[in-house]
Amino acid sequence: MKPTYSKSSRSSAGPEETGPAPDSRTAGGDGASPLLSVRGLVKTFPGRRVLGRAAAPVRAVDGVDLELAAGETLGLVGESGCGKSTTGRMLVRLLEPTAGAVEFEGRDITHLSQRELRPVRRHLQIIFQDPHASLNPRQTVARIISEPLLVQGATVRAARDRAAELLDLVGLGSEHLDRHPYRFSGGQAQRIGIARALATGPRLIVADEPVSALDVSVQAQVVNLMERLGDELGLSFLFIAHDLSVVKRVCDRVAVMYLGRIVEIGEKRELYDRPAHPYTRALLSAVPLPDPAAERRRERILLLGDPPSPAAPPSGCGFHPRCPKAQAVCRTERPLLQVVGSGARTAACHFPETG
Protein backbone atom coordinates (compact mmCIF):
# COMPACT_ATOMS: atom_id res chain seq x y z
CA MET A 1 0.00 0.00 0.00
CA LYS A 2 1.36 3.38 -0.99
CA PRO A 3 1.92 6.02 1.71
CA THR A 4 0.11 9.34 1.50
CA TYR A 5 2.05 12.57 1.20
CA SER A 6 0.85 15.92 2.43
CA LYS A 7 1.51 18.82 0.09
CA SER A 8 2.46 22.10 1.71
CA SER A 9 1.03 25.46 0.78
CA ARG A 10 3.87 26.29 -1.58
CA SER A 11 2.33 27.15 -4.93
CA SER A 12 3.54 25.39 -8.04
CA ALA A 13 5.88 27.47 -10.10
CA GLY A 14 4.59 27.73 -13.63
CA PRO A 15 6.88 27.71 -16.64
CA GLU A 16 8.02 30.77 -18.45
CA GLU A 17 6.28 31.72 -21.62
CA THR A 18 7.83 29.77 -24.42
CA GLY A 19 9.69 31.66 -27.10
CA PRO A 20 10.07 30.76 -30.75
CA ALA A 21 12.87 28.26 -30.06
CA PRO A 22 11.54 26.11 -27.20
CA ASP A 23 13.68 23.56 -25.43
CA SER A 24 13.84 21.59 -22.21
CA ARG A 25 15.59 24.40 -20.36
CA THR A 26 12.38 26.36 -19.76
CA ALA A 27 12.20 26.90 -16.00
CA GLY A 28 9.35 27.92 -13.80
CA GLY A 29 9.23 31.40 -12.41
CA ASP A 30 8.66 34.98 -13.46
CA GLY A 31 11.40 35.33 -16.06
CA ALA A 32 14.26 35.81 -13.58
CA SER A 33 17.61 34.22 -14.35
CA PRO A 34 17.58 30.50 -13.51
CA LEU A 35 19.47 29.17 -10.53
CA LEU A 36 20.77 26.25 -12.60
CA SER A 37 21.16 26.07 -16.37
CA VAL A 38 22.32 22.96 -18.22
CA ARG A 39 23.15 22.98 -21.94
CA GLY A 40 23.98 19.98 -24.11
CA LEU A 41 25.14 17.81 -21.22
CA VAL A 42 26.80 14.57 -22.37
CA LYS A 43 28.45 11.74 -20.45
CA THR A 44 30.18 8.88 -22.26
CA PHE A 45 31.76 5.99 -20.39
CA PRO A 46 34.39 3.81 -22.06
CA GLY A 47 33.23 0.29 -22.87
CA ARG A 48 34.60 -2.63 -20.89
CA ARG A 49 37.22 -4.80 -22.47
CA VAL A 50 35.98 -8.32 -23.23
CA LEU A 51 38.51 -10.99 -24.27
CA GLY A 52 41.00 -8.26 -25.04
CA ARG A 53 38.61 -6.27 -27.23
CA ALA A 54 37.32 -2.87 -26.26
CA ALA A 55 33.52 -2.67 -26.25
CA ALA A 56 31.64 0.27 -27.68
CA PRO A 57 31.51 3.36 -25.44
CA VAL A 58 28.31 3.91 -23.47
CA ARG A 59 26.62 7.28 -23.90
CA ALA A 60 24.74 7.43 -20.60
CA VAL A 61 23.59 11.05 -21.04
CA ASP A 62 23.04 12.35 -24.54
CA GLY A 63 22.52 16.11 -24.82
CA VAL A 64 20.41 17.14 -21.82
CA ASP A 65 19.15 20.73 -21.52
CA LEU A 66 17.51 21.86 -18.28
CA GLU A 67 16.78 24.98 -16.28
CA LEU A 68 15.83 25.16 -12.63
CA ALA A 69 14.50 28.30 -10.98
CA ALA A 70 15.20 29.42 -7.43
CA GLY A 71 12.74 27.80 -5.01
CA GLU A 72 11.56 25.28 -7.60
CA THR A 73 11.46 21.48 -7.35
CA LEU A 74 12.03 19.74 -10.67
CA GLY A 75 11.34 16.02 -10.89
CA LEU A 76 13.47 13.79 -13.12
CA VAL A 77 11.85 10.43 -13.88
CA GLY A 78 12.43 7.44 -16.13
CA GLU A 79 13.33 3.77 -16.14
CA SER A 80 16.45 2.41 -14.47
CA GLY A 81 19.52 3.04 -16.62
CA CYS A 82 18.12 6.05 -18.47
CA GLY A 83 20.79 8.40 -17.09
CA LYS A 84 18.97 10.18 -14.24
CA SER A 85 21.56 9.61 -11.52
CA THR A 86 24.44 10.25 -13.91
CA THR A 87 22.88 13.60 -14.78
CA GLY A 88 22.45 14.50 -11.11
CA ARG A 89 26.05 13.63 -10.27
CA MET A 90 27.37 15.75 -13.13
CA LEU A 91 25.39 18.74 -11.88
CA VAL A 92 27.28 18.64 -8.56
CA ARG A 93 30.56 17.73 -10.32
CA LEU A 94 30.89 14.27 -8.78
CA LEU A 95 31.20 13.14 -12.40
CA GLU A 96 32.96 15.15 -15.08
CA PRO A 97 30.82 15.85 -18.17
CA THR A 98 32.13 14.65 -21.53
CA ALA A 99 30.54 17.67 -23.22
CA GLY A 100 28.11 20.46 -22.49
CA ALA A 101 27.95 23.15 -19.81
CA VAL A 102 26.56 23.53 -16.30
CA GLU A 103 25.91 27.05 -15.03
CA PHE A 104 25.07 27.69 -11.38
CA GLU A 105 23.95 31.17 -10.34
CA GLY A 106 25.07 32.44 -13.75
CA ARG A 107 28.59 31.02 -13.46
CA ASP A 108 29.91 28.22 -15.64
CA ILE A 109 31.17 25.57 -13.21
CA THR A 110 31.78 22.83 -15.80
CA HIS A 111 35.56 23.08 -15.83
CA LEU A 112 36.36 24.66 -12.47
CA SER A 113 39.28 23.15 -10.61
CA GLN A 114 38.65 21.53 -7.24
CA ARG A 115 40.04 24.62 -5.53
CA GLU A 116 37.77 26.93 -7.53
CA LEU A 117 34.81 24.61 -6.97
CA ARG A 118 35.14 24.51 -3.18
CA PRO A 119 33.24 27.76 -2.42
CA VAL A 120 30.56 26.78 -4.96
CA ARG A 121 29.94 23.48 -3.15
CA ARG A 122 28.57 25.41 -0.17
CA HIS A 123 25.47 26.08 -2.23
CA LEU A 124 25.26 22.87 -4.27
CA GLN A 125 24.74 19.57 -2.42
CA ILE A 126 23.41 16.05 -2.96
CA ILE A 127 21.38 13.46 -1.01
CA PHE A 128 22.18 9.88 -1.99
CA GLN A 129 19.83 6.97 -2.53
CA ASP A 130 21.20 4.52 0.05
CA PRO A 131 21.62 6.34 3.38
CA HIS A 132 23.81 3.72 5.05
CA ALA A 133 26.11 3.34 2.04
CA SER A 134 26.63 7.12 1.90
CA LEU A 135 27.55 7.50 5.60
CA ASN A 136 31.04 6.61 6.80
CA PRO A 137 30.55 3.75 9.32
CA ARG A 138 33.77 4.69 11.17
CA GLN A 139 32.67 8.26 11.89
CA THR A 140 30.21 9.58 14.45
CA VAL A 141 27.17 11.54 13.39
CA ALA A 142 28.81 14.72 14.66
CA ARG A 143 31.82 14.15 12.40
CA ILE A 144 29.69 13.20 9.40
CA ILE A 145 27.61 16.38 9.57
CA SER A 146 30.53 18.60 10.61
CA GLU A 147 32.90 17.54 7.85
CA PRO A 148 31.51 19.87 5.14
CA LEU A 149 31.81 22.76 7.58
CA LEU A 150 35.36 21.86 8.57
CA VAL A 151 36.33 21.71 4.89
CA GLN A 152 34.92 25.22 4.51
CA GLY A 153 37.04 26.48 7.43
CA ALA A 154 34.72 26.31 10.46
CA THR A 155 36.15 25.57 13.91
CA VAL A 156 35.52 22.16 15.48
CA ARG A 157 33.30 23.67 18.17
CA ALA A 158 31.23 25.74 15.77
CA ALA A 159 30.83 22.76 13.46
CA ARG A 160 29.62 20.53 16.31
CA ASP A 161 27.13 23.16 17.49
CA ARG A 162 25.82 23.47 13.93
CA ALA A 163 25.52 19.67 13.68
CA ALA A 164 23.36 19.66 16.82
CA GLU A 165 21.10 22.35 15.32
CA LEU A 166 20.74 20.40 12.09
CA LEU A 167 19.82 17.18 13.90
CA ASP A 168 17.00 19.06 15.64
CA LEU A 169 15.93 20.49 12.29
CA VAL A 170 15.58 17.04 10.68
CA GLY A 171 13.71 15.50 13.61
CA LEU A 172 16.53 13.85 15.57
CA GLY A 173 18.29 15.21 18.64
CA SER A 174 21.71 16.22 19.92
CA GLU A 175 21.87 12.98 21.93
CA HIS A 176 22.61 11.22 18.63
CA LEU A 177 25.77 13.21 17.91
CA ASP A 178 28.25 10.65 19.23
CA ARG A 179 26.59 7.56 17.77
CA HIS A 180 27.68 5.70 14.63
CA PRO A 181 25.47 5.14 11.56
CA TYR A 182 24.87 1.42 12.19
CA ARG A 183 22.76 2.32 15.23
CA PHE A 184 20.13 4.06 13.11
CA SER A 185 17.25 2.81 10.99
CA GLY A 186 17.12 3.61 7.28
CA GLY A 187 14.80 6.57 7.80
CA GLN A 188 16.95 7.99 10.59
CA ALA A 189 20.12 7.51 8.53
CA GLN A 190 18.55 9.38 5.63
CA ARG A 191 17.68 12.23 7.99
CA ILE A 192 21.38 12.37 8.89
CA GLY A 193 22.20 12.48 5.18
CA ILE A 194 19.77 15.37 4.76
CA ALA A 195 21.33 17.19 7.72
CA ARG A 196 24.78 16.77 6.14
CA ALA A 197 23.49 18.21 2.86
CA LEU A 198 22.07 21.22 4.73
CA ALA A 199 25.23 21.90 6.73
CA THR A 200 26.73 24.56 4.48
CA GLY A 201 23.47 26.36 3.69
CA PRO A 202 22.93 25.19 0.09
CA ARG A 203 20.59 26.77 -2.44
CA LEU A 204 20.20 23.65 -4.60
CA ILE A 205 20.05 20.00 -3.54
CA VAL A 206 20.12 17.06 -5.94
CA ALA A 207 18.00 14.37 -4.27
CA ASP A 208 18.96 11.09 -5.97
CA GLU A 209 16.03 8.77 -5.24
CA PRO A 210 16.12 9.74 -1.55
CA VAL A 211 13.28 7.45 -0.43
CA SER A 212 13.51 4.43 -2.74
CA ALA A 213 15.75 2.49 -0.32
CA LEU A 214 13.46 3.14 2.67
CA ASP A 215 10.56 1.17 4.09
CA VAL A 216 7.18 2.30 2.80
CA SER A 217 6.17 3.24 6.33
CA VAL A 218 8.86 5.96 6.56
CA GLN A 219 8.94 7.20 2.95
CA ALA A 220 6.15 9.71 3.55
CA GLN A 221 7.87 11.07 6.66
CA VAL A 222 11.12 11.75 4.82
CA VAL A 223 9.37 13.28 1.80
CA ASN A 224 7.31 15.56 4.02
CA LEU A 225 10.47 16.56 5.90
CA MET A 226 12.22 17.51 2.66
CA GLU A 227 9.22 19.48 1.50
CA ARG A 228 9.01 21.37 4.79
CA LEU A 229 12.72 22.17 4.69
CA GLY A 230 12.37 23.38 1.11
CA ASP A 231 9.65 25.80 2.12
CA GLU A 232 11.33 27.02 5.30
CA LEU A 233 14.83 27.41 3.85
CA GLY A 234 13.93 28.44 0.29
CA LEU A 235 15.69 25.45 -1.27
CA SER A 236 15.56 24.25 -4.85
CA PHE A 237 15.55 20.52 -5.56
CA LEU A 238 16.29 18.28 -8.50
CA PHE A 239 14.23 15.32 -7.31
CA ILE A 240 15.23 12.08 -9.05
CA ALA A 241 12.72 9.27 -8.51
CA HIS A 242 10.99 6.19 -9.89
CA ASP A 243 7.78 6.64 -7.92
CA LEU A 244 5.61 8.98 -9.97
CA SER A 245 3.10 9.39 -7.14
CA VAL A 246 5.85 10.92 -4.97
CA VAL A 247 6.98 13.16 -7.83
CA LYS A 248 3.43 14.38 -8.37
CA ARG A 249 3.20 15.46 -4.73
CA VAL A 250 6.49 17.27 -4.30
CA CYS A 251 7.51 18.65 -7.70
CA ASP A 252 6.51 21.79 -9.55
CA ARG A 253 7.65 20.57 -12.97
CA VAL A 254 8.60 17.13 -14.27
CA ALA A 255 11.18 16.04 -16.85
CA VAL A 256 10.89 12.56 -18.37
CA MET A 257 14.12 10.89 -19.45
CA TYR A 258 14.63 7.98 -21.84
CA LEU A 259 17.91 6.55 -23.09
CA GLY A 260 19.92 9.56 -21.90
CA ARG A 261 17.61 12.20 -23.40
CA ILE A 262 14.78 14.39 -22.14
CA VAL A 263 11.67 13.32 -24.06
CA GLU A 264 9.11 15.52 -22.28
CA ILE A 265 9.18 18.31 -19.72
CA GLY A 266 6.51 20.57 -18.37
CA GLU A 267 4.35 21.77 -15.52
CA LYS A 268 3.31 18.89 -13.30
CA ARG A 269 -0.46 19.11 -13.59
CA GLU A 270 -0.57 19.35 -17.38
CA LEU A 271 2.02 16.62 -17.88
CA TYR A 272 0.15 14.19 -15.61
CA ASP A 273 -3.29 15.04 -16.99
CA ARG A 274 -2.35 15.23 -20.68
CA PRO A 275 0.97 13.48 -21.38
CA ALA A 276 2.22 14.17 -24.90
CA HIS A 277 4.94 11.57 -25.38
CA PRO A 278 4.01 7.86 -25.71
CA TYR A 279 6.68 6.95 -23.17
CA THR A 280 5.25 9.37 -20.60
CA ARG A 281 1.79 7.91 -21.18
CA ALA A 282 3.13 4.40 -20.59
CA LEU A 283 4.88 5.41 -17.36
CA LEU A 284 1.78 7.09 -15.99
CA SER A 285 -0.44 4.14 -16.91
CA ALA A 286 1.63 1.98 -14.56
CA VAL A 287 1.00 4.19 -11.50
CA PRO A 288 -1.58 2.49 -9.22
CA LEU A 289 -4.81 4.42 -8.59
CA PRO A 290 -6.29 4.57 -5.06
CA ASP A 291 -9.80 3.87 -6.44
CA PRO A 292 -10.12 0.12 -7.26
CA ALA A 293 -12.99 0.74 -9.69
CA ALA A 294 -11.01 3.38 -11.60
CA GLU A 295 -7.97 1.09 -11.59
CA ARG A 296 -9.98 -1.69 -13.26
CA ARG A 297 -11.47 0.64 -15.89
CA ARG A 298 -8.38 2.38 -17.12
CA GLU A 299 -6.25 1.22 -20.01
CA ARG A 300 -2.75 -0.06 -19.29
CA ILE A 301 -0.07 0.64 -21.90
CA LEU A 302 2.38 -2.24 -22.07
CA LEU A 303 5.70 -1.53 -23.76
CA LEU A 304 7.25 -4.35 -25.74
CA GLY A 305 10.83 -5.38 -25.13
CA ASP A 306 13.53 -3.82 -22.99
CA PRO A 307 15.11 -0.37 -23.36
CA PRO A 308 17.88 -0.38 -26.00
CA SER A 309 21.48 -0.38 -24.83
CA PRO A 310 23.08 3.08 -24.64
CA ALA A 311 26.14 1.42 -26.17
CA ALA A 312 24.14 0.74 -29.35
CA PRO A 313 21.20 3.17 -29.45
CA PRO A 314 18.72 2.90 -32.32
CA SER A 315 18.70 5.43 -35.13
CA GLY A 316 16.13 8.18 -35.23
CA CYS A 317 13.92 8.31 -32.17
CA GLY A 318 15.42 6.17 -29.41
CA PHE A 319 11.94 5.07 -28.33
CA HIS A 320 10.71 3.85 -31.73
CA PRO A 321 11.47 0.11 -31.20
CA ARG A 322 8.95 0.08 -28.31
CA CYS A 323 6.54 2.78 -29.44
CA PRO A 324 3.00 1.77 -30.52
CA LYS A 325 2.77 4.91 -32.71
CA ALA A 326 6.12 4.57 -34.52
CA GLN A 327 6.18 5.29 -38.25
CA ALA A 328 8.90 5.39 -40.89
CA VAL A 329 10.10 8.89 -39.98
CA CYS A 330 10.64 7.78 -36.36
CA ARG A 331 13.26 5.27 -37.52
CA THR A 332 15.31 7.79 -39.44
CA GLU A 333 14.92 11.25 -37.85
CA ARG A 334 15.65 12.15 -34.26
CA PRO A 335 12.80 14.31 -32.92
CA LEU A 336 13.63 17.57 -31.19
CA LEU A 337 11.78 19.04 -28.25
CA GLN A 338 8.87 21.17 -29.43
CA VAL A 339 6.01 23.02 -27.80
CA VAL A 340 2.90 20.90 -27.28
CA GLY A 341 -0.60 22.17 -26.57
CA SER A 342 -0.79 25.44 -24.64
CA GLY A 343 2.99 25.84 -24.54
CA ALA A 344 3.43 24.83 -20.89
CA ARG A 345 5.44 21.76 -21.90
CA THR A 346 7.64 20.40 -24.65
CA ALA A 347 8.00 16.89 -26.05
CA ALA A 348 10.47 15.17 -28.38
CA CYS A 349 8.04 13.23 -30.54
CA HIS A 350 7.08 13.33 -34.22
CA PHE A 351 3.46 12.50 -33.32
CA PRO A 352 2.75 13.92 -29.84
CA GLU A 353 -0.65 13.80 -28.21
CA THR A 354 -2.11 17.31 -28.23
CA GLY A 355 -5.48 16.68 -26.59
Side-chain angles (χ1 to χ4, degrees):
M1 183 176 180
K2 292 284 184 182
T4 57
Y5 300 88
S6 64
K7 181 67 177 174
S8 69
S9 60
R10 179 179 59 179
S11 61
S12 296
E16 291 181 0
E17 294 184 3
T18 307
D23 59 29
S24 61
R25 290 175 284 152
T26 305
D30 55 2
S33 298
L35 179 68
L36 178 76
S37 180
V38 180
R39 300 190 305 276
L41 200 63
V42 174
K43 182 60 180 180
T44 303
F45 294 100
R48 296 181 178 179
R49 299 188 69 87
V50 179
L51 299 177
R53 296 182 179 179
V58 177
R59 199 164 206 186
V61 177
D62 189 9
V64 165
D65 295 324
L66 288 173
E67 278 190 357
L68 184 62
E72 182 185 27
T73 298
L74 174 65
L76 187 60
V77 303
E79 292 172 291
S80 295
C82 70
K84 305 186 302 296
S85 294
T86 301
T87 299
R89 288 170 182 254
M90 283 193 288
L91 300 186
V92 296
R93 287 285 307 276
L94 293 181
L95 287 175
E96 295 297 321
T98 304
V102 178
E103 290 185 4
F104 180 67
E105 295 184 317
R107 182 184 184 187
D108 190 340
I109 66 171
T110 316
H111 304 294
L112 294 184
S113 67
Q114 289 302 312
R115 181 177 179 180
E116 294 171 325
L117 193 61
R118 182 172 296 176
V120 178
R121 288 200 186 280
R122 294 179 60 92
H123 307 295
L124 190 61
Q125 292 292 318
I126 185 169
I127 300 170
F128 296 97
Q129 177 178 359
D130 187 339
H132 281 113
S134 66
L135 302 178
N136 190 331
R138 296 178 179 272
Q139 293 183 349
T140 63
V141 171
R143 176 68 186 186
I144 289 170
I145 300 176
S146 299
E147 190 166 11
L149 295 167
L150 297 173
V151 169
Q152 296 291 337
T155 65
V156 174
R157 185 63 198 175
R160 183 180 174 88
D161 290 343
R162 176 61 174 158
E165 294 175 3
L166 289 167
L167 282 181
D168 288 334
L169 189 63
V170 299
L172 297 176
S174 57
E175 66 272 14
H176 297 114
L177 280 171
D178 296 314
R179 297 180 183 178
H180 289 80
Y182 70 86
R183 300 186 62 181
F184 296 91
S185 67
Q188 290 174 322
Q190 192 61 293
R191 289 172 186 265
I192 295 170
I194 294 171
R196 177 178 60 185
L198 294 174
T200 57
R203 297 195 62 195
L204 171 64
I205 294 179
V206 174
D208 187 5
E209 303 197 42
V211 298
S212 64
L214 305 180
D215 292 339
V216 173
S217 59
V218 299
Q219 287 184 7
Q221 300 173 25
V222 174
V223 167
N224 289 336
L225 169 65
M226 293 176 61
E227 192 172 22
R228 174 177 64 82
L229 293 172
D231 290 334
E232 292 179 358
L233 304 178
L235 301 173
S236 299
F237 286 98
L238 177 69
F239 196 94
I240 300 171
H242 280 99
D243 193 334
L244 294 177
S245 62
V246 176
V247 171
K248 187 176 183 180
R249 290 290 181 179
V250 304
C251 296
D252 303 309
R253 293 187 303 130
V254 180
V256 182
M257 201 167 184
Y258 184 82
L259 205 61
R261 302 172 184 170
I262 301 295
V263 297
E264 185 169 359
I265 185 169
E267 192 274 329
K268 168 186 64 180
R269 187 180 301 278
E270 186 171 4
L271 186 141
Y272 273 75
D273 292 344
R274 293 179 295 277
H277 198 282
Y279 179 62
T280 308
R281 297 177 67 87
L283 287 180
L284 293 174
S285 77
V287 179
L289 297 178
D291 183 353
E295 177 70 19
R296 288 192 296 268
R297 288 195 304 268
R298 73 168 177 169
E299 178 186 1
R300 286 291 303 274
I301 301 174
L302 300 178
L303 299 178
L304 301 177
D306 296 322
S309 169
S315 60
C317 175
F319 186 60
H320 85 256
R322 307 172 72 194
C323 182
K325 300 176 62 176
Q327 299 185 29
V329 66
C330 303
R331 299 178 180 89
T332 58
E333 296 184 18
R334 174 177 173 176
L336 302 178
L337 284 158
Q338 57 183 332
V339 172
V340 176
S342 64
R345 64 204 157 119
T346 57
C349 181
H350 292 299
F351 306 100
E353 294 284 344
T354 58

